């Protein structure tokens, strides 16, 4: 019980350090890991090796995937490909179902592009659509915010879910995580769609109404087909890798499929698909700057993820997991709700969904490691680990409020007053999170 008490106190201190004392998550998590190692009795001479092993594991595993995914998102943003995709969806469903169009646009754009950037990028389209269809702007802005947020916390190659998958040992099962993320995220959007329509009627938008036609697609922008290519190609390649392990085929062909299906290789090929986008917009000479900015964006995410891996390594090295095993019967009754609760507490306390996802994933550990909390709680298969990633994602969207930069992006660029933001966007993220964890828990009951 003393070890559990120490662990709880350490996690609470970490949350307070990040949320209240404004200490950078990297330092807060590393310091927590170090203090926890000493408090839980890890031999002092072993601590440096444990820290080094945990830290380096991210760079040998999921690090490249995070970097490649961030670069692809930046290219899609800078070249206007994200807007081309948005306009393609608008042309199909926009005039008849504008709220659905904005939600789907957000959901697609945020798979490669960060939700904050995606909202700034796409919100003028929503305002233009509101004028042309006489729909309430608040409803469309909330629908866009929900769509962006859902894929941001559930679907790789967005850094959060990618990092969680890697930290739980799902590097080679990323296609399963993507598939589950698609399903759970879409389920979470169902109540958000109706809620945005209902609450949007009660909100009067304010502020400067940006020109919604400012981002009209002209002949210089890449086509929709070319724009979707960097998203579709890695999914197809990873699917080919899965087929290679399930279907009998020539050995050389299976080897090629397995090679191309590795997430890092698949995203590297997707990165090559970005070259025509840069060429179309005559941005090849600016590619150095785009990639450099992407590395600066990916860097903090990778380092926070690596810090989380250190925390996970400390937990594995100590006898804490053995203690958890003694209470596994009681804790296992919570199932995937346990990581959801942890992630929700972290999200609500400090604001960042990515930090909530990576920190919770580090606490859970790898499903194949007998010394991890995942193993102690009975999550010992790739499918179980995938559902835990979904549960963490659900927690990481519960809830967005004043300490979350995305809350201010949605309210500010959406023309929604902060007071209205609490009863609309914050409440909507709560509904989405509860819906997502309910769907995930039901799936766990049936499948594991």
């Amino acid at each position: 019980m003393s070890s559990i008490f120490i662990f709880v106190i350490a996690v609470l201190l970490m949350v307070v350090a990040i949320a209240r004392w404004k200490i950078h998550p990297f330092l807060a998590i590393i310091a927590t890991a170090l203090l926890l190692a000493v408090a839980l009795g890890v031999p002092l001479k072993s601590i440096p090796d444990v820290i080094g092993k945990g830290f380096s594991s991210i760079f040998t595993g999921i690090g490249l995937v995070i970097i490649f995914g961030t670069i692809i998102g930046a290219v899609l943003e800078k070249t206007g490909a994200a807007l081309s995709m948005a306009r393609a969806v608008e042309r199909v469903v926009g005039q008849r179902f504008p709220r659905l169009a904005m939600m789907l646009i957000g959901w697609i754009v945020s798979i490669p592009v960060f939700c904050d950037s995606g909202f700034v990028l796409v919100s003028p389209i929503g305002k233009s659509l509101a004028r042309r269809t006489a729909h309430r702007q608040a409803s469309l802005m909330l629908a866009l915010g929900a769509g962006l947020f859902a894929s941001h916390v559930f679907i790789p190659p967005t850094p959060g879910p990618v990092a969680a998958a890697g930290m739980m040992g799902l590097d080679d099962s990323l296609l399963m995580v993507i598939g589950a993320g698609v399903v759970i995220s879409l389920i979470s959007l169902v109540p958000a769609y109706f809620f945005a329509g209902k609450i949007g009627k009660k909100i009067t938008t304010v502020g400067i109404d940006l020109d919604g036609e400012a981002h009209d697609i002209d002949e210089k922008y890449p086509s929709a087909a070319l724009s979707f290519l960097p998203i579709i190609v890695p999914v197809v390649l990873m699917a080919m890798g899965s087929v290679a392990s399930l279907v009998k085929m020539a050995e050389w062909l299976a080897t090629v499929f397995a090679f191309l299906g590795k997430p890092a290789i698949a995203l590297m090929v997707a990165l090559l698909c970005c070259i025509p986008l840069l060429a179309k917009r005559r941005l090849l000479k600016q590619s150095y700057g785009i990639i450099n900015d992407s590395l600066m964006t990916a860097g903090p995410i990778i380092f926070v993820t690596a810090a989380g891996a250190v925390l996970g390594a400390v937990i594995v090295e100590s006898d804490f997991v053995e203690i958890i095993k003694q209470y596994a019967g009681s804790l296992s009754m919570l199932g995937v709700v346990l990581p959801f609760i942890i992630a929700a507490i972290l999200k609500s306390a400090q604001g960042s969904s990515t930090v909530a996802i990576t920190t919770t994933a580090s606490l859970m550990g790898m499903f194949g490691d007998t010394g991890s909390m995942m193993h102690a709680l009975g999550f010992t298969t790739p499918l179980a680990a995938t559902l835990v990633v979904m549960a963490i994602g659900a927690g990481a969207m519960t809830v967005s409020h004043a300490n979350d930069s995305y809350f201010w992006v949605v309210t500010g660029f959406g023309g929604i007053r902060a007071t209205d933001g609490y009863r609309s966007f914050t409440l909507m993220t709560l509904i989405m999170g509860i819906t997502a964890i309910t769907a995930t828990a039901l799936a766990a009951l049936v499948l594991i």
Side-chain angles (χ1 to χ4, degrees):
M1 289 302 296
S2 60
S3 295
I4 293 177
F5 178 75
I6 290 170
F7 175 78
V8 171
I9 293 298
V11 172
L12 289 175
L13 281 175
M14 178 180 65
V15 172
V16 170
I18 297 172
R20 190 168 184 83
W21 300 337
K22 305 303 179 185
I23 297 175
H24 194 281
F26 174 78
L27 291 178
I29 297 171
I30 285 287
T32 300
L34 182 59
L35 292 173
L36 197 59
V38 174
L40 292 179
V42 177
L44 291 179
K45 64 179 181 180
S46 301
I47 292 177
D49 290 336
V50 172
I51 291 175
K53 181 181 177 182
F55 194 82
S56 62
S57 66
I58 293 302
F59 294 89
T60 58
I62 210 71
L64 281 177
V65 174
I66 294 175
I67 291 172
F68 291 152
T70 304
I71 294 174
I72 291 168
V75 171
L76 293 179
E77 180 183 346
K78 298 292 184 182
T79 60
L83 288 169
S84 292
M85 292 188 290
R87 286 298 192 195
V89 176
E90 183 195 359
R91 284 194 295 270
V92 176
V93 295
Q95 294 296 323
R96 293 186 61 189
F97 307 102
R99 192 165 11 117
L100 178 62
M102 293 311 300
M103 185 168 279
L104 290 177
I105 286 171
W107 183 77
I108 292 170
V109 168
S110 194
I111 293 174
V113 178
F114 285 94
C115 59
D116 302 65
S117 300
F119 195 94
V120 175
L121 193 68
V122 178
S123 57
I125 295 178
K127 294 176 180 180
S128 172
L129 195 57
R131 286 196 295 269
R132 288 185 279 118
T133 61
H135 272 68
R136 297 300 294 266
Q137 179 178 306
S139 293
L140 300 190
M141 293 297 100
L142 289 170
L144 173 62
L148 288 159
F149 202 26
S151 50
H152 179 75
V153 299
F154 287 118
I155 308 176
T158 307
V162 161
M167 296 170 80
M168 291 187 177
L170 291 168
D171 307 63
D172 295 331
S173 302
L174 205 56
L175 185 64
M176 185 189 298
V177 180
I178 292 173
V182 167
V183 173
I184 298 298
S185 63
L186 289 176
I187 290 174
S188 74
L189 288 176
V190 173
Y193 174 81
F194 294 104
F195 179 80
K198 183 177 181 180
I199 195 70
K201 295 177 182 178
K202 303 176 182 179
I203 296 174
T204 301
T205 50
V206 296
I208 299 174
D209 190 11
L210 299 176
D211 182 7
E213 305 298 335
H215 294 296
D216 274 345
I217 304 301
D218 59 31
E219 68 278 359
K220 294 181 180 179
Y221 276 69
S223 66
L226 201 60
S227 301
F228 276 105
L229 204 59
I231 298 177
I232 296 173
V233 164
V235 175
V236 171
L237 291 178
M238 283 186 276
M240 289 167 54
S242 298
V243 168
S245 62
L246 298 174
V247 179
K248 289 185 178 180
M249 60 179 69
E251 185 177 348
W252 68 270
L253 188 60
T255 301
V256 171
F257 277 20
F259 170 74
L260 293 174
K262 292 290 184 180
I265 302 300
L267 284 173
M268 192 180 296
V269 175
L271 197 56
L272 295 177
C273 294
C274 290
I275 295 176
L277 296 174
L278 293 167
K280 176 72 175 178
R281 293 290 287 161
R282 298 179 181 177
L283 293 174
L284 285 173
K285 291 183 179 179
Q286 284 77 45
S287 61
Y288 180 91
I290 293 173
I291 293 174
N292 194 55
D293 291 343
S294 300
L295 293 176
M296 293 177 66
T297 300
I301 296 170
I302 292 175
F303 285 121
V304 169
T305 303
V310 171
L311 182 59
V314 166
I315 292 172
V316 170
E317 188 69 18
S318 70
D319 62 351
F320 181 74
V321 172
E322 293 300 320
I323 296 170
I324 290 297
K325 287 180 179 179
Q326 298 176 21
Y327 300 92
S330 301
L331 292 174
S332 62
M333 292 176 62
L334 291 173
V336 293
V337 176
L338 178 61
F340 165 81
I341 292 172
I342 297 172
I345 291 171
L346 289 168
K347 166 63 178 177
S348 298
Q350 52 79 43
S352 170
S353 294
T354 302
V355 170
I357 290 172
T358 54
T359 305
T360 307
S362 71
L363 293 173
M364 299 303 294
M366 292 194 175
F367 77 89
D369 190 338
T370 56
S372 69
M373 283 183 63
M374 288 283 284
H375 199 275
L377 295 173
F379 302 123
T380 57
T381 64
L383 178 58
T386 298
L387 292 176
V388 172
V389 173
M390 296 301 104
I392 292 173
M397 62 165 39
T398 313
V399 293
S400 176
H401 60 97
N403 63 2
D404 182 6
S405 62
Y406 188 53
F407 172 85
W408 297 110
V409 168
V410 172
T411 54
F413 284 87
I416 300 171
R417 294 182 181 88
T419 51
D420 288 330
Y422 292 118
R423 69 188 183 102
S424 59
F425 187 67
T426 298
L427 182 55
M428 184 173 67
T429 59
L430 175 62
I431 294 170
M432 292 172 68
I434 292 174
T435 301
I437 187 56
T438 301
T440 303
L442 290 173
L445 286 174
V446 174
L447 300 174
I448 60 175

